[in-house]
Amino acid sequence: MSMSKTSINPFNHDVMPDNTPLVNVNYNGKWIQVPKGLNVVEVTQSQGEFLPHYCYHEKLSISGNCRMCLFEMGMPKMDASRQPVLDANGKPEIAWMPRPQIGCATNVTEGMGIRTNSPLAVDCRKGVMEFLLINHPLDCPICDQAGECKLQEYASEYGSGESRFVEDKIKKPKHFDLGKNIVIDDERCILCTRCIRFAREVLDDDVLGIVNRGGNNTVTCHPGKHFDNEYSLNTVDLCPVGALTSKDFRFKMRVWFLKETKSICTSCGTGCNVTIGSREQTVYRLTPRHNEEVNSQWMCDTGRLNIHYLSGEDRFTRPLSRVKGELYETSWEDVLRQAGSRLKTFSGKQISLLASGRMTNEELFLTKTLIDELQVSLYDILPRQGQGDKFLRSADLNPNSIGASLLGVSNDGKNLQAIKSGIQSGDIRALLVLQEDATEAGLSVEELSKLELIIYVGLAPNATAKAAHFVLPSAGFTEKHGSMINVKGRVQRLNQAHLPPGRAMDDWEILRDLRSATTGGNGIHTIEDLFRSMSAKVPALAGLTLNKIGDHGVQLSLTAK
Amino acid sequence: MAVAERRILFKHIDEPGYTVDIDCYLKHGGYEDLKKAIKLEPQFIKDEVKKSQLRGRGGAGFSCGVKWGFIDAKKTTKPIYLICNADESEPGTFKDRQIIHKDPHQLIEGMIISCFANSVHLAYLYIRGEFPEGARILEKAIAEAKAKNFLGKNILGAGYDLEIYVHRGAGAYICGEETGLIESIEGKRPYPRIKPPYFPAVLGLYMCPTIVNNVETLCNVKHIVNMGGEAYARIGKPNNTGTRLIGVSGDVKKPGYYEFECGAITLGELIYDVCGGIRNDNKLKAVIPGGSSSKVMRADGRYKVKGANSEMTEIGLNDIPMDFDTFAAVGTMSGSGGVIVMDETRDMVDCIENLSEFYAHESCGQCTPCREGAQWMKKIIHRMNHGHARKEDTDLLKNVADNIAGRTICAFGEACSWPVQSFIAAFRNEFEAKAK
């Protein structure tokens, strides 16, 4: 693995430079070669094993406080002339140290001995597990972390089956407000300081700290400060126990019921890799998914929390068709037949199309096909600029502006004015609006009312839907398949976590069927078919398939427009 | 017959008319050793300290010469710092405070010489928060020394600059741990650092090479310059050179602070001859020989030591000579020189409850075993000592202590578990008797 290209992490203990020399290490009795300087936690990982730890995190400074990764360490035995003493097999003999060492702060050197399963190492883990649990509230039944809690995991693996603690537990604050998105339960906290180090080292927002002393140590905000950082919720993921919880997610769903789907966040052009946690038809949370090339292990709170519109009460669940001024629910067959035949009555010059930078490549490709086949002359997307930051948030709030340009649907908003004038002059008589609200693109309600045909593809009511003749209910980003290209030119995949509500359909299917109803059959049956026909036509995507894009995306070589 | 004290560091302590003023100090030959040292090569002084075999007086007894040897001014581009550890907080220890309160210039002079020897231009004097008067005295002494050009720019015209800042602690025992102390000076919580990689000699104060020495150690440097390393090494015993400041507290008739040649006096001589014996002429029961963290010794115990011809012999407690190596050989340590004497009236569970309360209160809480274990031990002992002992408690307590020692970031883990382990080892019957 190469060094991270993103400079968002001050520490990358898990990524050694490519040219790191190897050293010989005796790992649980077996001689192995590992990169010099790798710490022992990472060494065990490289061997497909695991040295349990709480405070160590590969992207944070080494704190060494939890003592869970204690192991037995040895160094080569030296003779009087400072030469290693060799055993019968010609391998160096190891002198084992009586005092255990922590794996996270021990970097391997030539000839080092590592025992992670010796009686001493096992006894250390058992002791630490017991210490961590004696004052813990053991409120797993009502704890949001249950099911993904390191205390639970290691207790079952390394703990003792019984409690020897008969004293009173230490009392600490139970639901202290750390900031707008986070609550801390200090009794659950094991004081690993991951949250403090993340705020200090990665965010440079040093507002968290510890007050009081010894057994009464308490993680809190410094006086007068709040942990209101745009990236605060990453501490909830970092917290190995149930101390930090997300106000948005807490008490909503037991994590073991959540289906996990790998996808990307669509709240800006960065395209942070995420895991969608959903149950049945509802998304309960997004969590960042590790991708060193995009977001490392982090994501912003805005993106993470931008899921609730998906389960809004107002979502369109059936196609709608306007009859005598009112929208009525109808069937897909009916709405597509009617919309298709109405659309065919206009010439290309009379039709405009407003697409979206929030659409997938597949949707945009079909849109462009439709544009070409109908010879639509005026079309564009709605550009969306916001405030970016130095960390992950992009100033481009459209997740797929690059795809929209690459696939020829975007004119960077330059055509929006022409569409407006066309409508005003009466030259443009029909408008297709895909996943946008035309009023956000500068059209007034009056202008919309002049149009003879508006076909709207989208999730929920807006001014365009209100004026539309046909409403085709589509899918949100957790409900669809497809791909997008982030601002750095990386093509990444969205996967469907759950079905859209009611009879709403994935947008690419709507567009396929609309095209079929307008210009005839096209032989596209699956999203894979669609991607194949797209990659055959678009040189930048040549040779790619959705499978080849994989979970971590593929960097494209895009030439500047 | 009482062994005579050999007062070198304590020479003027409690001398009638001896004050903390610089004039008084100068009248008694003060700063003459600095005048001598500043004309020497720094490396020469370091060599003399090495020859003297001076061992650190803070508790661990680590060789001062070796510690200084980790620092090479020629090999670093970073500034080198020296810190005087005056955070004397170990229960039973009250030696450094005598110097701080009664002979501050001796310490300042020792510090200046040590700084000069190690090419240090900025030093900190870290004094515990509970010594406000000591801090005031030291501030005044530093100002006086500065006015006389023993400190500041171009000291005594030798072209050497040095500033010393007094830094007051805020009342935490852990600040006596050198890396906790460094964090404290940096303005942070005094969480001891992990070693490796944060050895003070490499990544100390502000991530620069740093020497941390105890008050008594630094004072000794002045006398080593005065008499020469080899002459100093003739005081005491080989590898246990110089004098030791000893504070005796507990059940003796004359508790107090004394100075003896290292190993020149036995525990029995100290207790019975120097301190007048046990109060009320009670029987001696136990001794903690080097501050509360050192392991307790039974009065009727038999201890194996190396005899004159390197053969092993068994001796009683009273015959143990007080030096670093002998105490280590008999399974405890000379530590900080605080001797705590307990007589036959003492309930050992009661005594350890007192100590474990201290350690539970002072654990910084950074790492798991000490944070949780120190509190747990305190609660078990408190329960045992207040009528709710169970049969299994003694073994449980011992096991909790075993799960702390050797598994923590700093030596506090040992400091809080050794007393418990040793009290149980020496007086198990008393713990078990609590469970009826």
Side-chain angles (χ1 to χ4, degrees):
Chain A
M1 196 191 277
S2 63
M3 280 294 274
S4 164
K5 288 183 187 67
T6 54
S7 57
I8 51 178
N9 289 318
F11 300 96
N12 282 300
H13 306 294
D14 52 337
V15 191
M16 298 296 284
D18 285 338
N19 56 356
T20 309
L22 299 176
V23 289
N24 297 293
V25 169
N26 187 301
Y27 176 71
N28 289 330
K30 191 174 72 191
W31 283 97
I32 57 168
Q33 287 202 319
V34 287
K36 186 182 178 184
L38 202 63
N39 70 53
V40 171
V41 172
E42 297 295 341
V43 167
T44 59
Q45 232 120 299
S46 77
Q47 298 306 302
E49 292 175 18
F50 188 69
L51 191 55
H53 53 270
Y54 294 100
C55 68
Y56 170 71
H57 190 278
E58 56 274 21
K59 304 298 177 192
L60 303 174
S61 67
I62 306 251
S63 174
N65 63 52
C66 77
R67 318 306 284 177
M68 192 63 187
C69 64
L70 283 168
F71 73 103
E72 198 174 344
M73 176 177 152
M75 291 306 282
K77 207 180 271 177
M78 296 290 180
D79 62 19
S81 56
R82 299 294 299 157
Q83 290 303 307
V85 180
L86 301 182
D87 65 13
N89 302 319
K91 296 286 188 188
E93 261 186 57
I94 292 172
W96 296 94
M97 296 158 68
R99 197 183 162 98
Q101 301 294 313
I102 43 174
C104 62
T106 305
N107 301 326
V108 288
T109 55
E110 180 63 35
M112 185 184 278
I114 300 168
R115 283 178 179 159
T116 61
N117 293 312
S118 63
L120 174 66
V122 170
D123 191 54
C124 286
R125 283 200 283 273
K126 202 173 160 190
V128 171
M129 258 333 294
E130 181 179 44
F131 283 137
L132 285 174
L133 289 176
I134 56 172
N135 283 299
H136 189 80
L138 304 174
D139 56 347
C140 308
I142 54 143
C143 177
D144 280 297
Q145 192 79 2
E148 54 182 7
C149 173
K150 295 295 178 206
L151 265 184
Q152 278 187 333
E153 268 176 47
Y154 302 161
S156 91
E157 209 153 336
Y158 312 106
S160 157
E162 51 170 2
S163 172
R164 301 191 294 172
F165 187 76
V166 296
E167 327 300 332
D168 288 338
K169 291 186 189 237
I170 295 167
K171 298 309 252 176
K172 289 185 190 176
K174 281 305 277 182
H175 31 72
F176 184 82
D177 213 328
L178 280 187
K180 63 178 193 288
N181 292 328
I182 298 180
V183 170
I184 185 167
D185 181 326
D186 277 299
E187 290 185 349
R188 291 179 187 159
C189 174
I190 57 164
L191 295 153
C192 72
T193 69
R194 276 186 180 186
C195 54
I196 298 172
R197 283 177 283 146
F198 176 75
R200 179 182 301 152
E201 295 161 6
V202 181
L203 300 183
D204 195 21
D205 188 11
D206 198 1
V207 295
L208 299 177
I210 291 173
V211 296
N212 300 331
R213 188 160 81 193
N216 297 310
N217 274 2
T218 303
V219 169
T220 190
C221 271
H222 294 313
K225 303 274 184 175
H226 299 280
F227 189 41
D228 285 338
N229 195 283
E230 171 63 6
Y231 295 89
S232 67
L233 282 168
N234 291 300
T235 57
V236 174
D237 307 329
L238 284 168
C239 181
V241 300
L244 294 166
T245 50
S246 157
K247 285 184 193 169
D248 185 65
F249 179 72
R250 69 198 308 246
F251 307 135
K252 295 285 191 335
M253 183 49 63
R254 309 307 314 197
V255 296
W256 52 84
F257 290 132
L258 291 178
K259 174 184 155 195
E260 300 199 325
T261 308
K262 291 170 182 174
S263 192
I264 57 169
C265 173
T266 57
S267 288
C268 81
T270 303
C272 289
N273 290 210
V274 299
T275 302
I276 301 166
S278 63
R279 186 183 184 191
E280 296 181 354
Q281 303 290 81
T282 309
V283 185
Y284 286 91
R285 67 174 183 188
L286 296 185
T287 43
R289 185 164 56 86
H290 192 174
N291 187 343
E292 282 306 318
E293 305 301 327
V294 182
N295 55 308
S296 187
Q297 308 196 14
W298 328 116
M299 74 183 293
C300 73
D301 291 5
T302 304
R304 186 191 295 254
L305 299 177
N306 193 16
I307 50 171
H308 299 297
Y309 70 95
L310 293 166
S311 39
E313 290 284 306
D314 57 349
R315 284 286 298 271
F316 291 128
T317 56
R318 280 166 176 270
L320 304 174
S321 172
R322 192 170 294 277
V323 181
K324 293 187 178 148
E326 293 289 326
L327 284 169
Y328 289 96
E329 287 184 355
T330 181
S331 67
W332 277 109
E333 291 77 8
D334 188 52
V335 82
L336 287 165
R337 187 175 45 78
Q338 285 194 48
S341 56
R342 287 281 300 281
L343 200 54
K344 278 193 279 191
T345 63
F346 297 97
S347 73
K349 281 196 177 350
Q350 292 169 328
I351 305 172
S352 274
L353 186 143
L354 175 62
S356 173
R358 291 168 168 172
M359 292 165 73
T360 64
N361 295 325
E362 293 75 4
E363 293 158 13
L364 289 159
F365 175 69
L366 281 172
T367 305
K368 185 61 168 59
T369 313
L370 199 59
I371 288 169
D372 291 345
E373 286 169 359
L374 293 170
Q375 297 178 316
V376 174
S377 55
L378 278 176
Y379 53 88
D380 210 336
I381 64 160
L382 172 61
R384 213 174 246 111
Q385 288 292 313
Q387 195 77 40
D389 64 21
K390 286 184 199 141
F391 195 40
L392 290 174
R393 285 197 62 80
S394 164
D396 186 350
L397 298 184
N398 278 329
N400 198 21
S401 302
I402 305 284
S405 297
L406 180 71
L407 294 158
V409 178
S410 169
N411 283 296
D412 294 332
K414 292 188 198 89
N415 279 350
L416 295 176
Q417 186 53 44
I419 293 171
K420 188 180 171 78
S421 341
I423 295 171
Q424 281 168 346
S425 67
D427 291 343
I428 287 168
R429 292 158 56 197
L431 181 67
L432 266 79
V433 181
L434 310 177
Q435 297 182 22
E436 292 290 359
D437 180 359
T439 60
E440 278 184 45
L443 299 183
S444 67
V445 174
E446 291 70 38
E447 283 154 3
L448 288 177
S449 69
K450 289 180 64 173
L451 288 160
E452 289 161 46
L453 174 65
I454 300 174
I455 299 173
Y456 170 69
V457 180
L459 300 181
N462 60 21
T464 307
K466 217 171 167 184
H469 300 86
F470 299 101
V471 172
L472 313 184
S474 69
F477 78 99
T478 59
E479 298 157 2
K480 62 169 65 173
H481 291 286
S483 62
M484 292 187 178
I485 303 168
N486 80 356
V487 287
K488 290 186 178 156
R490 190 176 194 81
V491 60
Q492 309 192 97
R493 220 165 54 175
L494 283 87
N495 287 308
Q496 186 185 49
H498 58 102
L499 293 169
R503 295 191 183 169
M505 289 208 299
D506 200 340
D507 299 63
W508 77 267
E509 294 174 305
I510 299 174
L511 288 162
R512 174 196 62 189
D513 295 352
L514 184 64
R515 186 183 157 215
S516 177
T518 316
T519 61
N522 46 50
I524 289 172
H525 301 288
T526 65
I527 189 85
E528 285 80 12
D529 290 342
L530 178 53
F531 196 92
R532 264 193 296 276
S533 29
M534 177 169 65
S535 59
K537 287 205 178 126
V538 181
L541 300 173
L544 281 177
T545 63
L546 279 175
N547 261 342
K548 281 187 186 163
I549 291 173
D551 291 334
H552 290 101
V554 169
Q555 183 66 39
L556 304 177
S557 39
L558 300 171
T559 44
K561 294 186 290 175
Chain B
M1 112 127 223
V3 177
E5 277 195 77
R6 170 143 189 204
R7 288 197 166 213
I8 296 175
L9 273 62
F10 276 176
K11 188 170 179 197
H12 301 298
I13 300 284
D14 300 329
E15 200 176 273
Y18 193 82
T19 70
V20 297
D21 297 331
I22 197 164
D23 292 334
C24 176
Y25 187 65
L26 289 171
K27 232 186 288 166
H28 289 77
Y31 289 107
E32 288 304 319
D33 297 321
L34 172 63
K35 287 175 192 161
K36 178 176 167 191
I38 205 124
K39 293 189 193 111
L40 300 170
E41 277 298 310
Q43 187 56 47
F44 179 83
I45 302 172
K46 285 175 81 164
D47 291 343
E48 289 299 304
V49 169
K50 190 133 200 199
K51 279 185 214 156
S52 77
Q53 299 176 37
L54 173 64
R55 292 174 67 165
R57 303 297 203 242
F62 190 76
S63 160
C64 183
V66 172
K67 189 184 260 190
W68 287 12
F70 295 144
I71 304 270
D72 188 342
K74 291 187 189 78
K75 283 194 185 143
T76 177
T77 52
K78 293 175 173 178
I80 300 164
Y81 294 108
L82 183 141
I83 300 170
C84 170
N85 186 346
D87 192 69
E88 185 179 53
S89 321
E90 178 86 354
T93 310
F94 42 89
K95 60 185 182 70
D96 296 339
R97 70 156 72 195
Q98 310 308 330
I99 294 167
I100 293 165
H101 288 94
K102 297 169 185 171
D103 198 5
H105 281 287
Q106 180 184 194
L107 171 59
I108 306 288
E109 186 176 2
M111 269 185 88
I112 300 169
I113 295 169
S114 302
C115 288
F116 176 71
N118 289 289
S119 308
V120 171
H121 298 286
L122 181 56
Y124 289 87
L125 210 167
Y126 191 97
I127 183 166
R128 69 182 296 207
E130 292 88 339
F131 286 170
E133 183 64 7
R136 198 191 59 75
I137 291 168
L138 287 168
E139 294 272 20
K140 181 169 165 269
I142 287 169
E144 287 173 339
K146 238 179 140 165
K148 298 250 190 249
N149 193 218
F150 298 129
L151 258 177
K153 295 268 174 227
N154 192 16
I155 292 170
L156 299 174
Y160 171 67
D161 303 340
L162 173 68
E163 294 292 340
I164 298 178
Y165 295 135
V166 175
H167 189 109
R168 287 188 60 197
Y173 172 76
I174 200 64
C175 291
E177 200 279 347
E178 58 184 3
T179 58
L181 188 157
I182 287 170
E183 288 277 299
S184 175
I185 292 182
E186 291 184 5
K188 303 172 191 159
R189 274 174 85 79
Y191 273 3
R193 294 174 175 173
I194 48 174
K195 291 148 273 187
Y198 301 107
F199 294 107
V202 189
L203 297 169
L205 184 62
Y206 306 119
M207 293 298 132
C208 295
T210 303
I211 298 164
V212 186
N213 279 143
N214 172 261
V215 170
E216 183 184 342
T217 313
L218 290 169
C219 290
N220 270 302
V221 171
K222 169 192 142 76
H223 301 287
I224 289 166
V225 167
N226 179 282
M227 64 184 85
E230 272 164 23
Y232 183 93
R234 285 193 289 273
I235 305 171
K237 304 199 314 205
N239 201 38
N240 297 268
T241 60
T243 61
R244 287 241 39 195
L245 305 181
I246 292 165
V248 188
S249 60
D251 303 330
V252 290
K253 285 180 181 158
K254 283 196 305 182
Y257 41 89
Y258 306 95
E259 182 173 3
F260 292 98
E261 274 190 48
C262 213
I265 186 168
T266 64
L267 257 179
E269 287 165 339
L270 178 74
I271 293 167
Y272 292 100
D273 300 340
V274 177
C275 296
I278 306 297
R279 61 169 187 163
N280 304 330
D281 293 322
N282 288 342
K283 264 175 69 186
L284 177 66
K285 183 173 184 178
V287 176
I288 298 174
S292 60
S293 307
S294 55
K295 293 186 176 176
V296 71
M297 309 168 83
R298 274 182 82 102
D300 56 3
R302 301 294 294 169
Y303 300 92
K304 280 200 178 102
V305 294
K306 246 187 206 157
N309 304 318
S310 293
E311 80 292 355
M312 296 307 282
T313 53
E314 251 194 14
I315 56 173
L317 179 84
N318 289 340
D319 299 326
I320 295 175
M322 298 187 62
D323 63 67
F324 292 98
D325 291 341
T326 308
F327 276 130
V330 300
T332 182
M333 61 177 182
S334 64
S336 61
V339 179
I340 304 170
V341 180
M342 288 162 281
D343 73 13
E344 58 187 328
T345 67
R346 297 294 174 182
D347 177 331
M348 297 317 274
V349 180
D350 202 44
C351 290
I352 194 68
E353 186 190 352
N354 183 0
L355 288 182
S356 68
E357 267 176 15
F358 172 80
Y359 287 110
H361 184 251
E362 294 297 343
S363 166
C364 79
Q366 180 179 205
C367 65
T368 309
C370 169
R371 174 182 70 237
E372 305 295 337
Q375 286 269 355
W376 192 5
M377 291 195 299
K378 176 195 103 170
K379 286 173 177 174
I380 295 170
I381 297 166
H382 179 84
R383 184 165 50 72
M384 291 177 81
N385 197 31
H386 290 81
H388 300 285
R390 303 171 305 163
K391 237 176 65 202
E392 61 266 41
D393 280 335
T394 309
D395 286 333
L396 171 63
L397 184 60
K398 160 83 166 53
N399 185 251
V400 172
D402 293 346
N403 282 344
I404 304 171
R407 302 178 185 187
T408 53
I409 290 177
C410 77
F412 191 101
E414 285 78 40
C416 71
S417 51
W418 281 353
V420 172
Q421 289 169 330
S422 64
F423 268 68
I424 293 176
F427 300 97
R428 179 174 267 272
N429 56 329
E430 292 192 34
F431 286 82
E432 286 174 345
K434 293 281 179 186
K436 283 170 204 99

